[in-house]
Amino acid sequence: MTKQSLRAREDAFQLSVGLPGADNTSDSHSSDGEVIHTPDSLEFDLVNMASDAQEALSVGSLAQINLNKNVDNPILQCVQIKPMASQQGQERYRVVMNDSINFIQCMLAQRKEQSLKLEMNGVMHDNQLKKGSICRLKQYQVNFVKDKNILIILDLEVLQEYGEPEKLGQPVQMEATKDPEMDVKPQPGNISGNNMYGNKPAQQQQQQEQRSLPARTNGAAGGGGSHHNISPIEALSPYAHRWTIKARCTHKGDIKTWHNKNGEGKLFSANFLDDSGEIRATGFNDAVDNFYELLQEGSVYYVSSPCKVQLAKKQFSNLNNDYELTFERDTQVEKAEDMDGVPQVRYNFTSLSDLQSVEKDNTIDCIGVLSEVGEVSEIVGKTSAKPYSKRELTLVDNTGYNIRLTVWGKTAENFEAQPESVIAFKGVKVSDFGGRSLSLLSSGTMNVDPDIDEAHMLKGWYVGGGRNDQFQSHANTMSTVTAAGGADRNATKSIAQVRDENLGMGDETDWFSVKATVIYIKQDNVSYPACLSEGCNKKVVEIDPGVWRCEKCEKNFDKPEYRYIMSVNVSDHTGQIWLQCFNDVGVQIMGMPADNLMQMRDEGEERKVTDAFAEANCKTFVFRCKAKMDTYQDQQRVRYQVQYASPLNFVQESKKLADIIKMYSESDNSLFV
């Protein structure tokens, strides 16, 4: 009998109850001989099906499961279904299962369909699982959460032939096992039992008793044991149980220490990669002693639970994974002699020209030819007051751009790559301080002359003539995502168009590019004395001879760093306009740092100063600017501020002119033949 026919009979029975003249004792027949069931026979069928469902239940199975005993394909009744909030924004459901003696809280697992071919919440959307349904649990896991066991249902089958009877038996809530042999791991508390079946919302939950795992002298698994059940990295979650991954260590960070009021400690992190994805693992204190020397970049390892899986702290990781691992005392790590099937480092490169469209603070991979290597310098952290080593590199690629990339710590101190090497970076942060720049994160990696297609292509381009190209800089560029209603900052306009279109007159900032020639530079107040602290650039004041004070950093310096802040008049074939420029653009225009110019002034070499300004005139650049209304001395005016200036790229300019000529030649009213 189908579920639909049962529902029809039940509805007919409810409509017929209490009707006078109904024959409640026997069945009747239609004219064609079909049996027509009376209310008494319908009631008998329902009672009979409930009895069948009762007999089908795996009575007492929950008690066995609660004792960590394996029960294959238990048949249980669903007595409650509730949606639950998910930290990942996905639909989740909590259910309560009954074996007629006990009931237990459960959660339907949500997994990636591509890798595991399983979407448990599908039974909800297909309207299969309902309150009262009889189900066969084909795959499940037991987790200990907030002093009770929770069933994580990985796969189930709704037995529709039993219908949806009322609660079977008189079940009571399952009590947590006290079996000391049970493998107990604390799990995230997002599966709260409040307002669930058999729980009172105001009832206080007792603290979970911590069960210490047996100690080992070394967390590494010994002797090359067999690893038949290998899990993909993308299948790991806080609800996975007894898993092993086979993955390549693509990065191992330095050991870091901390000291605070609660004590001191040490930690390190490593990245693991397999065919399905990447995941970050962190070890603290004893785990540092157990695993740091064992793990080597490029080698393949088996990593096995117990190992805590938790939500990733994105501020410390650049990997595309919602979870991360924390090594525990009994975590097993074993080097794999067989490296087959485990990929090398994967890259998702962003070209240097495309950095204009990458949001600030995003993490990317990039590759380029090393054109310049700076010296190692040291800065002091503002909050930690600790010294940090840094080195600035300049990369170029075949898109015609260069970029400044900073490496830190031991990477900076031990940097040995030679200019014209091809370097691939994984995990660099995009910054817009002083324009577009990159910074290698502590979790990032660097590979010199990698054996990949992109590296061979760049090397061939550079050796074949790329080293002689002119490269545009990303200095002083900001994020190119336009505000709503703003003009396209990549639009190239003439000076007359900038004025005629009233750019900057509205509430929003307008962006434009203009090709223009410098015709005059205001020589008074061309620079200011700036703080020497990394990233500050605030104006300093000379409080005593040879003593310069920064109020923001609260530090004194022997001398300042002068930085340009200049007003420049530029012209094209349609008119003139005043532009405001800052340090990086000023260096391009003047051809020297502001410190050199101020030194000439201080030494009284006015002739050299005059020649420097004269030399800067008549230089042509492509200025990328923003226009915004400004108030100065109670008067409103449009301020045009240069964000970026690049020398003329004659190849690109020639192509633009050729495109314009082509447009004329294709026009119906063309003057060209």
Side-chain angles (χ1 to χ4, degrees), residues 158-174:
V158 178
L159 306 178
Q160 299 185 14
E161 63 267 24
Y162 295 111
E164 296 145 19
E166 295 296 325
K167 181 180 67 176
L168 300 175
Q170 297 296 324
V172 295
Q173 184 170 11
M174 179 65 63

Side-chain angles (χ1 to χ4, degrees), residues 9 48 54 81 166 180 195 204 207 218 233 293 296 367 376 462 478 483 551 559 631:
R9 291 185 176 190
N48 191 41
Q54 176 75 45
I81 303 173
E166 295 296 325
N195 298 317
Q204 295 294 326
Q207 289 288 339
N218 193 320
I233 284 177
E293 295 301 329
Q296 300 297 326
I367 187 171
V376 177
Y462 194 79
M478 304 294 286
E551 294 299 333
K559 63 177 183 178
T631 301

Side-chain angles (χ1 to χ4, degrees), residues 566-606:
M566 52 176 35
S567 295
V568 180
N569 191 252
V570 299
S571 173
D572 68 2
H573 63 289
T574 64
Q576 302 176 6
I577 196 172
W578 284 97
L579 303 177
Q580 306 300 314
C581 305
F582 294 106
N583 189 65
D584 291 331
V585 178
V587 171
Q588 287 182 278
I589 294 175
M590 297 300 299
M592 68 178 69
D595 279 334
N596 294 4
L597 187 66
M598 296 307 297
Q599 183 179 355
M600 288 189 290
R601 279 189 169 175
D602 293 342
E603 294 174 354
E605 298 180 346
E606 291 299 328

Side-chain angles (χ1 to χ4, degrees), residues 189-467:
N190 61 337
I191 314 178
S192 172
N194 290 343
N195 298 317
M196 280 298 290
Y197 191 89
N199 283 10
K200 296 181 180 179
Q203 183 178 358
Q204 295 294 326
Q205 302 289 342
Q206 296 181 350
Q207 289 288 339
Q208 173 184 341
E209 295 181 6
Q210 298 295 328
R211 295 172 171 83
S212 59
L213 294 166
R216 290 186 184 179
T217 57
N218 193 320
S226 61
H227 301 278
H228 298 296
N229 188 19
I230 303 298
S231 300
I233 284 177
E234 67 176 353
L236 297 184
S237 76
Y239 313 110
H241 191 56
R242 292 191 180 95
W243 50 263
T244 297
I245 61 172
K246 180 182 179 183
R248 188 181 303 276
C249 178
T250 58
H251 168 74
K252 184 180 73 169
D254 298 329
I255 297 176
K256 300 179 181 179
T257 58
W258 78 85
H259 306 270
N260 55 35
K261 62 181 180 180
N262 297 323
E264 60 184 33
K266 56 186 177 180
L267 64 90
F268 82 101
S269 64
N271 295 344
F272 291 95
L273 166 75
D274 71 5
D275 273 330
S276 68
E278 294 179 89
I279 196 166
R280 179 175 183 260
T282 303
F284 296 88
N285 299 325
D286 290 343
V288 177
D289 300 330
N290 290 339
F291 304 128
Y292 189 78
E293 295 301 329
L294 173 64
L295 293 173
Q296 300 297 326
E297 290 185 6
S299 296
V300 177
Y301 297 87
Y302 294 106
V303 181
S304 304
S305 60
C307 185
K308 188 176 182 181
V309 185
Q310 60 187 10
L311 288 174
K313 300 178 179 64
K314 291 298 186 181
Q315 66 269 36
F316 302 121
S317 175
N318 61 290
L319 301 184
N320 184 24
N321 197 323
D322 292 333
Y323 298 111
E324 64 184 15
L325 304 177
T326 300
F327 292 129
E328 296 184 347
R329 183 172 54 189
D330 279 14
T331 299
Q332 298 180 5
V333 178
E334 177 187 352
K335 188 172 182 179
E337 299 302 329
D338 177 16
M339 297 189 181
D340 293 341
V342 182
Q344 300 287 340
V345 180
R346 288 177 175 172
Y347 295 100
N348 184 19
F349 291 124
T350 299
S351 67
L352 301 188
S353 63
D354 290 339
L355 291 177
Q356 304 173 58
S357 58
V358 179
E359 290 279 4
K360 174 180 177 289
D361 294 332
N362 276 7
T363 302
I364 65 164
D365 304 339
C366 72
I367 187 171
V369 178
L370 182 65
S371 64
E372 295 180 16
V373 181
E375 297 296 327
V376 177
S377 60
E378 192 174 87
I379 63 171
V380 177
K382 293 181 181 179
T383 56
S384 64
K386 293 181 180 179
Y388 296 95
S389 299
K390 59 174 287 191
R391 187 193 295 264
E392 292 190 349
L393 314 175
T394 302
L395 300 178
V396 300
D397 70 3
N398 53 0
T399 63
Y401 276 82
N402 61 26
I403 193 68
R404 174 170 52 89
L405 190 150
T406 305
V407 294
W408 303 88
K410 292 183 179 180
T411 304
E413 296 169 2
N414 302 328
F415 188 85
E416 297 180 350
Q418 298 300 312
E420 300 193 2
S421 300
V422 177
I423 307 182
F425 292 89
K426 183 174 183 62
V428 292
K429 182 180 178 181
V430 179
S431 170
D432 66 355
F433 175 73
R436 276 288 179 264
S437 61
L438 301 175
S439 178
L440 181 63
L441 298 173
S442 60
S443 58
T445 59
M446 178 184 72
N447 193 351
V448 179
D449 290 325
D451 186 15
I452 56 178
D453 292 343
E454 292 88 348
H456 299 316
M457 181 185 66
L458 277 178
K459 191 71 173 181
W461 158 79
Y462 194 79
V463 172
R467 59 165 60 96

